[in-house]
Amino acid sequence: MGVALSRQAQRTTDRQEDAPLNEALLRDIVRFVEQVDSRHTKEAQLVFDEPLLWTTNLQASDFGTEYELSGSSVHSRETDGDGRPLLQLTPPVISVRSFSQLSKLLHLNNDSKLKEVRACLEANRDPVKKILGRSFAMMDGEDPSALLLLNTVNEDGQSRETELKVKLFLILQQLDRQLLNSSVPQLSQKVRLSPAVVKCDVEMLKSVCGAGEKRLLKSVRYTSDHEYSNGCRSPPWRQEFGEIAGLIIEPCDTEPLSVTCSIYGFYLNMPIKQEGEENVKKRELYKDLLTLLKSKSPHFAESINKQTSVQKLIAEHEKTRQQLAMKTTSISMKLREPTLLWTKPDEKAQKKKMRRSGGSEKATESRTKPHSKSPGGGTGAEDFSESSSESEEDEEQSERRGESRTDLPSEYWEIQKLVKYLKVGNQTATVIALCCIRDFNLAQETCQLAIRDGGGLEVLINLLDTDEVKCKIGSLKILKEISCSSQIRQAIADLRGLQTMVSILDSPDKELKCLAAETIANVAKFRRARRTVRQYGGIKRLVELLNCVPDSATLSAEQEKDVEVARCGALALWSCSKSTRNKEAIRKAGGIPLLARLLKSPQKNMLIPVVGTLQECASESSYRIAIQTEGMIKDLVKNLNCDNQELQMHCASAIFKCAEDKRTRDLVRQYKGLQPLVSLLSQTDNKQLLAAATGAIWKCSISMENVAKFEEFKTLEILLSLLTAQPEEVLVNVVGALGECAQRPANRIAIGKSGGIPRLVSLLRETNQALLVNVTRAVGACATEPDNMVIIDHLDGVRLLWSLLRKPDPDVQASAAWAICPCIENVKDAGEMVRSFMGGLKLIVDLLKSTNKEVLASVCAVISRIAKDKENLAIITEHGVVPMLANLTNTEDDKLRRHLAEAISHCCMWGNNHVAFGEERAVAPLVRYLRSKDPSVHQATALALYQLSRDPNNCITMHESGVVQPLIVMMGSTDEVLQEAAAGCVRNIRLLALANDKAKHFT
């Protein structure tokens, strides 16, 4: 408001062209004063330190019955503590002592509002001093004596009055910022150029350069590649004269242009005058590069008018340029006068502000203890390394995020003032400043950055090293709130704040321990912070906080503090448990039994962080086993029935992770946890809860005994209803559950009859890899039913599955290939359908180059089905399927062995493929498959050997590899297919031997 109004007062008499802006500012001020009495009643009644005096045109007749009239004089019935009227008119001078009276004054006559406000501002050049006193007027400067006001709050018995003054001061600052922001758009038209605007212009011109016919320019380049920190490219000694950068622009129809970009505009560099030449004409200044180029290049000007795309580009560029200009104006104005109210700018103070950086200042001696100490200690070298599987999460993201300092609200500057008071002041002033900072909404990014930019983080962390408990508590309360920002979290870690907080965990003061643990919980959201907590002994200390909770439901006041300590400790462990090494550290510190005990506690407020920690740790098999053995599954199931959705969500998430193990799935069913999980599916508004519940149902449905229970609860119908209008994380789990349920024939039929097939097929067009893996499994399971396959084929589902084979993710490739297998088996005219997929057969053969065993096994399964069609078998043979299959035969993986053997047996049906497999040395490795313990491998291998035994050379190889004895054993198997294949292979080998004997006899 100081900037806006001091400039406005000057324009009132000197610059008539700014009259609209002046009037707009005045109207905003009038609106504020009129509403202040109703919006801020207590502050409006505060008596000014000195009255506001000005010359008025109001007469006694303009005042109503609320005022006492005496001839031409008027005074209000409201008085201050000394009996002086809060409003007094002695024509032509009027005196006002409160905003309440100012508000009433403006309501007297609508026609004179602007005149009265203008006269008041012109007559009272230092209103802050008059309204609030000298101390508040000094708050914008660097003088530490401004702290005297705060220091006396608890000493002069006038704390209530001072509190109102502080609040009114902040209200006026907010008005100042609003006025300043409202004037930026108009003032931005007159601002000088900035490096950002110049860079924007150059980038736009570069985008229209090129080599085609439609190019506007040949090239645009800077004369210097070096960019200084302020964005300029001109050397410092030229920047003093306003230069920003030099350009060489090469138009299509003229010689290259040498252009200088300055804060005043753009101009062409004139050639150096030679001796004897006339004086060079005066430089012409252009407001932008477009105007300059239009005047110098006819081709450029003509092309702009003809090309619509370029006109759109220029229009967008103008918007961006305008925004940059407005930001430049806002920055320059705010740097000059961030908060001073209605006062004449002090040039010296402004220069100090311009030089001021955001660095921290040295705090007083009572809170400048060095951070060299290392509280706690690591347990070994392994504490200083971290799991490579962790991501940096918000740590990397925040580094990339740009920070804007434009259009900052008044709170930013107000908090920075309070940060100054933290740096220089006694204990009382520090506590008051901490309390004032906490009155702001510290969840707002602006407030968080104001503390950081003003050097407040260093002071707050230094306060944690003092012996003053009140200062520690106040500092931690602020740090706890602002550490929800990723940038603040990293700054706290950089300043070694975590080390100090870890040491506070040993404090006897329970409130301090709670605040330290909660702040650690916020800061430990990224890997480096979690590692620091572990390195400095924080995990062990946090686990110790859990061991202080009574088992009774009725607690004393002291016991309630113990419960809160444990809750905060669990919160911190929850954050730290995202690290693999921290999970192990929690286990070694004895955290699992304590967490199990807390899970049985009747104190509901701590269950959320406890379960959150457990569900985070459940990704480790050791924790899943412990959760089973410690009896925690029963408690997790029990809490599924509570009335707290967040707790329900974390319990379901824990079951989701633990149900990877069959024992856990059985325990959930044993403790009757399946019904509550199904009941949670009705909470469709809470997507996190829905995702956790569907995830738990998915994993539990891996056991067919649980699927049978889900059928009793009509779960399938509910899951099908969740296939639309749900976030991806819910869809992944729903489709996963459907895929497991579809392993039972009755459920496959139910999915088809309930209209689930079209919804599943439509999801094949999604891009989420986890979703695609699950939906392909579900579609593949449903495809085993002929009626379902008709729908899938009609919806072009097989083509969609085939297209997923092109995805780079091997899990998607494998899942799609497995789903294609039943589709080929159950669709009518499968051979023709497969041939209709352009490049589909070559794609399948090419996938045999994969290094993923699951992909190879699934592709072999597809090939074994494709090869049943002779024409398709001929095509894949031409694509080289034989040598590629033969190349895989040395595998030790039984799943791949089985499907590879099946593929070889079917591929032997075409031409001389059975001979080619022998030439590719695939026979001897196949014989080794008979040693497998998997009966399905035996059957597939026997079939492949039977087909290969049609070639004499292959029979010789088999005999030499010792195939006869295991085949004879398998001829006695109860598996008829295996019997026949083994017998057929032995027969062919025996026939060859007899033929050889006969040939020898005749020779």
Side-chain angles (χ1 to χ4, degrees):
M1 199 156 104
V3 177
L5 292 191
S6 61
R7 293 187 176 184
Q8 183 271 341
Q10 296 174 13
R11 291 191 183 101
T12 300
T13 55
D14 301 334
R15 300 181 62 183
Q16 294 303 319
E17 66 274 16
D18 286 340
L21 176 58
N22 292 338
E23 186 170 338
L25 287 172
L26 289 173
R27 289 189 184 280
D28 287 341
I29 296 168
V30 168
R31 191 177 301 111
F32 166 78
V33 176
E34 285 181 328
Q35 298 174 355
V36 71
D37 195 18
S38 58
R39 292 187 174 182
H40 309 284
T41 305
K42 294 181 180 179
E43 291 81 0
Q45 293 174 354
L46 181 69
V47 178
F48 294 165
D49 205 65
E50 297 179 35
L52 297 178
L53 302 170
W54 71 92
T55 301
T56 180
N57 294 322
L58 294 173
Q59 302 294 326
S61 58
D62 295 323
F63 292 84
T65 57
E66 297 181 9
Y67 299 90
E68 297 287 345
L69 280 66
S70 177
S72 60
S73 299
V74 178
H75 65 268
S76 64
R77 293 177 179 172
E78 294 184 47
T79 60
D80 63 10
D82 297 326
R84 292 173 296 189
L86 295 182
L87 182 146
Q88 188 166 358
L89 171 64
T90 305
V93 177
I94 190 169
S95 167
V96 179
R97 291 181 177 272
S98 73
F99 268 112
S100 177
Q101 288 297 326
L102 277 176
S103 179
K104 294 174 181 178
L105 180 68
L106 294 185
H107 283 92
L108 294 177
N109 192 334
N110 287 329
D111 296 333
S112 63
K113 289 179 181 179
L114 294 180
K115 293 181 181 179
E116 292 299 322
V117 171
R118 186 191 301 270
C120 178
L121 292 176
E122 291 176 351
N124 298 276
R125 295 288 182 171
D126 195 358
V128 179
K129 177 181 176 182
K130 291 189 174 183
I131 294 173
L132 299 174
R134 180 179 298 275
S135 297
F136 278 92
M138 294 171 60
M139 280 190 180
D140 193 57
E142 301 289 339
D143 189 353
S145 62
L147 286 171
L148 290 175
L149 175 67
L150 293 177
N151 293 344
T152 57
V153 169
N154 290 332
E155 299 171 6
D156 62 4
Q158 297 179 351
S159 58
R160 177 59 179 165
E161 180 183 355
T162 305
E163 181 184 354
L164 287 176
K165 285 187 176 183
V166 171
K167 291 182 178 180
L168 182 57
F169 178 71
L170 298 178
I171 292 169
L172 294 177
Q173 282 188 315
Q174 185 177 5
L175 172 63
D176 182 49
R177 193 56 44 199
Q178 292 171 355
L179 294 174
L180 188 60
N181 288 339
S182 66
S183 65
V184 167
Q186 294 90 336
L187 295 175
S188 64
Q189 302 299 326
K190 303 176 179 62
V191 75
R192 293 176 177 179
L193 292 177
S194 68
V197 173
V198 171
K199 188 174 184 178
C200 178
D201 286 355
V202 172
E203 293 300 321
M204 191 279 294
L205 289 181
K206 285 183 177 181
S207 67
V208 297
C209 296
E213 295 181 358
K214 293 186 177 180
R215 65 178 179 176
L216 273 67
L217 300 168
K218 291 183 180 179
S219 66
V220 177
R221 67 180 186 276
Y222 290 105
T223 56
S224 172
D225 293 332
H226 179 69
E227 182 177 334
Y228 292 90
S229 59
N230 60 359
C232 295
R233 292 176 183 265
S234 294
W237 57 89
R238 299 304 305 168
Q239 292 181 30
E240 291 182 6
F241 298 97
E243 288 190 11
I244 296 174
L247 297 174
I248 301 296
I249 303 176
E250 190 175 2
C252 297
D253 54 349
T254 67
E255 294 296 323
L257 304 176
S258 176
V259 179
T260 293
C261 315
S262 74
I263 61 174
Y264 310 106
F266 302 88
Y267 58 85
L268 290 173
N269 297 320
M270 299 300 177
I272 298 176
K273 185 180 68 172
Q274 301 296 328
E275 185 177 354
E277 290 184 2
E278 297 181 358
N279 290 333
V280 181
K281 64 179 180 179
K282 186 178 180 180
R283 288 172 176 160
E284 186 176 358
L285 198 64
Y286 298 87
K287 65 177 183 178
D288 55 51
L289 286 173
L290 287 177
T291 305
L292 185 154
L293 289 171
K294 285 179 182 178
S295 66
K296 300 300 179 183
S297 171
H299 171 79
F300 185 86
E302 183 179 353
S303 298
I304 287 179
N305 294 331
K306 288 183 178 180
Q307 298 183 29
T308 306
S309 60
V310 175
Q311 293 173 0
K312 291 181 180 179
L313 176 65
I314 292 175
E316 291 296 324
H317 166 70
E318 288 297 331
K319 292 180 181 177
T320 305
R321 199 176 193 271
Q322 177 73 7
Q323 292 171 357
L324 288 173
M326 290 175 64
K327 289 180 180 180
T328 305
T329 303
S330 179
I331 291 174
S332 62
M333 294 176 69
K334 286 170 183 175
L335 284 175
R336 291 190 184 100
E337 285 292 336
T339 51
L340 193 58
L341 292 174
W342 300 354
T343 57
K344 185 176 181 179
D346 183 276
E347 184 177 353
K348 185 176 181 181
Q350 287 184 4
K351 289 181 179 179
K352 289 183 72 177
K353 290 176 187 293
M354 296 293 285
R355 293 194 301 267
R356 186 174 54 195
S357 66
S360 63
E361 299 176 18
K362 186 178 180 181
T364 55
E365 184 179 355
S366 66
R367 42 189 161 92
T368 53
K369 294 184 180 180
H371 288 282
S372 59
K373 66 177 182 179
S374 299
T379 57
E382 71 276 3
D383 285 335
F384 289 84
S385 60
E386 191 59 71
S387 169
S388 60
S389 63
E390 283 189 82
S391 65
E392 286 293 335
E393 296 176 6
D394 57 0
E395 182 172 28
E396 293 181 352
Q397 297 174 13
S398 62
E399 290 294 334
R400 293 191 293 267
R401 184 171 63 177
E403 296 180 13
S404 173
R405 288 293 176 274
T406 62
D407 301 324
L408 293 172
S410 60
E411 288 88 347
Y412 181 89
W413 309 109
E414 292 158 9
I415 288 177
Q416 287 215 335
K417 275 194 177 62
L418 291 171
V419 169
K420 294 179 189 176
Y421 305 153
L422 280 179
K423 296 176 182 178
V424 187
N426 58 27
Q427 180 186 347
T428 304
T430 300
V431 173
I432 293 171
L434 290 171
C435 294
C436 290
I437 291 175
R438 286 194 61 220
D439 286 338
F440 289 88
N441 182 4
L442 297 180
Q444 290 183 351
E445 185 181 24
T446 300
C447 299
Q448 297 161 1
L449 296 183
I451 295 173
R452 187 197 69 173
D453 297 346
L457 283 179
E458 292 92 330
V459 180
L460 291 172
I461 291 172
N462 275 340
L463 287 173
L464 300 182
D465 267 335
T466 67
D467 296 328
E468 301 296 336
V469 175
K470 288 184 179 180
C471 291
K472 285 184 176 182
I473 290 175
S475 177
L476 281 172
K477 285 183 176 180
I478 294 172
L479 289 170
K480 182 186 76 171
E481 296 296 327
I482 65 176
S483 56
C484 60
S485 161
S486 62
Q487 299 179 63
I488 299 295
R489 288 197 287 265
Q490 292 176 65
I492 291 173
D494 293 338
L495 294 169
R496 299 178 61 82
L498 279 170
Q499 289 89 324
T500 307
M501 293 174 199
V502 167
S503 68
I504 292 176
L505 296 176
D506 290 329
S507 169
D509 189 288
K510 294 178 181 179
E511 185 178 7
L512 266 180
K513 289 198 285 191
C514 288
L515 289 170
E518 282 190 284
T519 310
I520 290 173
N522 288 342
V523 177
K525 298 290 193 208
F526 62 102
R527 186 171 67 181
R528 179 163 54 94
R530 293 191 289 268
R531 183 170 60 241
T532 299
V533 174
R534 183 182 71 252
Q535 290 171 354
Y536 288 87
I539 300 297
K540 183 178 180 181
R541 287 174 167 87
L542 290 170
V543 169
E544 289 173 354
L545 298 185
L546 306 181
N547 193 22
C548 60
V549 179
D551 296 325
S552 60
T554 304
L555 304 177
S556 65
E558 197 63 26
Q559 288 175 329
E560 287 180 354
K561 292 181 180 179
D562 292 335
V563 171
E564 182 63 12
V565 169
R567 185 190 71 83
C568 295
L571 273 175
L573 288 174
W574 187 4
S575 295
C576 293
S577 62
K578 290 180 172 61
S579 159
T580 303
R581 289 192 179 275
N582 283 355
K583 292 172 187 175
E584 180 64 14
I586 294 171
R587 188 185 66 79
K588 288 183 177 179
I592 294 178
L594 292 175
L595 289 169
R597 178 188 172 192
L598 293 179
L599 192 58
K600 301 178 185 297
S601 171
Q603 311 304 324
K604 300 296 183 183
N605 60 338
M606 73 168 60
L607 287 177
I608 290 176
V610 168
V611 177
T613 305
L614 287 172
Q615 66 98 3
E616 194 66 52
C617 293
S619 58
E620 299 295 317
S621 60
S622 60
Y623 272 88
R624 292 198 295 269
I625 295 172
I627 288 173
Q628 294 172 12
T629 56
E630 293 283 346
M632 286 187 266
I633 296 297
K634 182 176 182 180
D635 296 306
L636 292 173
V637 169
K638 175 184 175 182
N639 287 310
L640 288 175
N641 296 301
C642 71
D643 56 359
N644 185 304
Q645 290 191 349
E646 187 177 3
L647 178 56
Q648 289 175 319
M649 183 265 291
H650 290 301
C651 288
S653 294
I655 293 173
F656 179 16
K657 290 185 177 181
C658 292
E660 293 281 352
D661 302 327
K662 185 179 186 303
R663 175 58 180 158
T664 297
R665 297 195 292 270
D666 293 340
L667 287 174
V668 173
R669 182 179 68 256
Q670 177 184 331
Y671 293 124
K672 303 186 184 306
L674 299 180
Q675 175 68 61
L677 287 173
V678 175
S679 300
L680 294 179
L681 298 182
S682 62
Q683 306 293 336
T684 54
D685 293 335
N686 189 332
K687 300 305 180 184
Q688 287 185 315
L689 176 58
L690 191 61
T694 51
I697 289 173
W698 169 22
K699 295 302 180 182
C700 287
S701 62
I702 296 175
S703 295
M704 289 299 105
E705 300 90 339
N706 289 345
V707 173
K709 284 291 183 181
F710 285 136
E711 290 174 5
E712 295 178 15
F713 305 143
K714 308 296 182 184
T715 310
L716 196 66
E717 291 83 348
I718 303 174
L719 292 173
L720 288 171
S721 68
L722 296 174
L723 281 177
T724 54
Q726 296 297 336
E728 285 184 345
E729 58 180 346
V730 174
L731 287 174
V732 169
N733 297 339
V734 169
V735 175
L738 288 173
E740 298 300 334
C741 291
Q743 303 306 309
R744 287 168 63 96
N747 289 333
R748 294 197 291 267
I749 295 171
I751 291 173
K753 290 183 177 179
S754 301
I757 302 299
R759 280 178 267 181
L760 289 172
V761 171
S762 68
L763 293 176
L764 293 173
R765 294 183 171 88
E766 298 295 328
T767 57
N768 182 289
Q769 293 179 353
L771 177 58
L772 290 174
V773 169
N774 285 357
V775 75
T776 47
R777 175 173 169 79
V779 170
C782 291
T784 57
E785 294 295 327
D787 292 342
N788 291 345
M789 190 59 232
V790 172
I791 303 173
I792 293 171
D793 186 32
H794 177 71
L795 296 173
D796 213 13
V798 184
R799 186 182 299 275
L800 291 173
L801 287 171
W802 215 284
S803 67
L804 294 179
L805 297 175
R806 302 182 186 276
K807 294 282 185 180
D809 183 73
D811 292 336
V812 176
Q813 292 174 342
S815 185
W818 288 124
I820 288 171
C821 294
C823 292
I824 295 176
E825 290 179 343
N826 292 284
V827 73
K828 292 182 179 180
D829 200 4
E832 181 63 31
M833 178 193 69
V834 171
R835 285 192 296 276
S836 68
F837 301 149
M838 187 65 66
L841 291 173
K842 186 176 187 305
L843 173 62
I844 281 290
V845 176
D846 287 343
L847 284 175
L848 291 173
K849 300 174 184 177
S850 174
T851 58
N852 185 283
K853 291 182 180 179
E854 189 69 18
V855 172
L856 293 173
S858 61
V859 170
C860 287
V862 174
I863 289 174
S864 68
R865 287 153 178 82
I866 290 175
K868 292 179 182 179
D869 181 89
K870 298 300 181 182
E871 189 172 343
N872 288 339
L873 177 55
I875 294 173
I876 62 174
T877 299
E878 291 178 3
H879 288 312
V881 71
V882 170
M884 297 186 76
L885 289 174
N887 189 49
L888 301 175
T889 52
N890 286 312
T891 182
E892 299 293 328
D893 184 87
D894 276 346
K895 189 174 186 179
L896 175 55
R897 282 177 165 182
R898 171 193 170 186
H899 295 288
L900 175 59
E902 287 180 354
I904 290 174
S905 68
H906 285 93
C907 287
C908 286
M909 303 292 189
W910 176 257
N912 291 323
N913 281 356
H914 63 294
V915 177
F917 277 116
E919 295 172 349
E920 294 291 340
R921 303 192 178 188
V923 177
L926 280 173
V927 173
R928 293 196 292 269
Y929 290 9
L930 298 177
R931 302 171 191 168
S932 170
K933 297 180 180 180
D934 187 347
S936 62
V937 175
H938 298 164
Q939 185 191 87
T941 303
L943 287 169
L945 292 173
Y946 170 61
Q947 294 297 330
L948 291 168
S949 66
R950 291 188 290 120
D951 175 58
N953 291 327
N954 290 344
C955 288
I956 295 171
T957 303
M958 292 179 196
H959 190 273
E960 292 176 348
S961 300
V963 76
V964 175
Q965 187 60 39
L967 286 179
I968 291 175
V969 174
M970 291 176 186
M971 288 168 59
S973 170
T974 56
D975 183 343
E976 294 184 0
V977 175
L978 177 59
Q979 281 182 358
E980 292 181 4
C985 184
V986 171
R987 177 179 177 274
N988 288 339
I989 294 173
R990 182 59 183 160
L991 287 174
L992 176 63
L994 291 174
N996 287 336
D997 289 343
K998 187 176 181 180
K1000 289 179 182 179
H1001 177 73
F1002 283 107
T1003 57

